[in-house]
Amino acid sequence: MRLAFRLLSLSSLLLAASAWAQTPVDARAASVAALTEAKRLAAAGNAVEACAKYGESYSLDAQLEALLPLADCFEQSGKLASAYNAFRDAVEVAQRSGDARASAADARAQKLRPRLSYLTVEVLQGRRLPALAVERDGFRLGSSAWGVPMPIDAGQHVVTVTAYGYKPWQTTIDVRGEGAAPYIDVPLLEKLPEAPAATVAPPVVAEPVQSP
């Protein structure tokens, strides 16, 4: 399991572009500044802005001080899959550093597990065209994820399927409540009509010019 977030919803919180442009020292300093601001916003009751700052801090430097409250943010906002994966990531971060908070993070994740909704995107063998690409909310789902139930947050999600030479296919699902199990059966894509062969005009032959 990667320590960086695998979650679709986190993308709106992270300022990844600026993070990559900084040196490790700069990134650490920026992470601390974002974390300090997150705590100030949380104390002032600005939960939404605080959560965004926690996400920014964690994107700059993977540390529990930002990750654990961010997981709380996800849970409180009903993003249970995001919260579950965040707590699982926190377990790994804590175990790598010998932090005692690993057990508490694991307990939080296990408590969320029965409440999760799972989305299954199935592509049957006969429909697996060459270079078939399946995306959920703009993120690529590799073939190893096809047919596998994966935790998903409540709300609307878009699944798009493309392949060169075929008409794209897209569907939107609305996941509601807890414990849902939506299933998407990807159809065989419709082949695009071949473009007609280009008509080549005959060469133009210039008339010889006669001398007077």
Side-chain angles (χ1 to χ4, degrees):
M1 186 187 299
R2 295 182 295 109
L3 296 183
F5 275 129
R6 300 169 296 275
L7 308 176
L8 309 182
S9 59
L10 184 58
S11 61
S12 62
L13 302 177
L14 305 183
L15 302 179
S18 60
W20 302 134
Q22 299 176 357
T23 67
V25 174
D26 291 337
R28 174 59 181 167
S31 175
V32 171
L35 181 60
T36 300
E37 179 64 8
K39 292 178 179 179
R40 186 191 70 78
L41 290 167
N46 297 328
V48 175
E49 294 181 21
C51 289
K53 282 296 179 180
Y54 282 126
E56 178 184 340
S57 177
Y58 182 73
S59 73
L60 293 163
D61 183 30
Q63 28 77 33
L64 291 174
E65 285 70 22
L67 181 53
L68 288 173
L70 181 58
D72 276 326
C73 287
F74 284 139
E75 183 174 5
Q76 292 170 15
S77 62
K79 298 181 182 296
L80 302 185
S82 295
Y84 173 79
N85 284 318
F87 281 122
R88 292 303 303 157
D89 282 347
V91 171
E92 291 191 22
V93 173
Q95 288 178 340
R96 287 174 180 263
S97 60
D99 195 301
R101 288 175 287 182
S103 58
D106 183 62
R108 294 285 299 274
Q110 296 309 318
K111 187 175 181 180
L112 284 170
R113 193 168 185 175
R115 302 169 58 193
L116 298 178
S117 293
Y118 290 85
L119 170 65
T120 303
V121 179
E122 180 64 277
V123 185
L124 298 179
Q125 193 64 41
R127 303 172 185 175
R128 299 187 178 191
L129 301 170
L132 187 74
V134 179
E135 294 185 352
R136 187 187 75 185
D137 300 324
F139 289 80
R140 184 77 172 264
L141 293 179
S143 58
S144 61
W146 300 347
V148 178
M150 302 182 67
I152 192 169
D153 288 327
Q156 288 194 340
H157 301 274
V158 179
V159 173
T160 305
V161 183
T162 58
Y164 180 76
Y166 292 82
K167 184 178 179 180
W169 180 84
Q170 181 176 287
T171 188
T172 300
I173 62 167
D174 189 7
V175 180
R176 299 184 180 183
E178 300 178 7
Y183 180 91
I184 294 177
D185 186 16
V186 175
L188 180 64
L189 298 187
E190 179 184 345
K191 192 173 181 62
L192 292 172
E194 295 184 2
T199 302
V200 179
V204 177
V205 180
E207 294 287 339
V209 178
Q210 297 182 352
S211 311

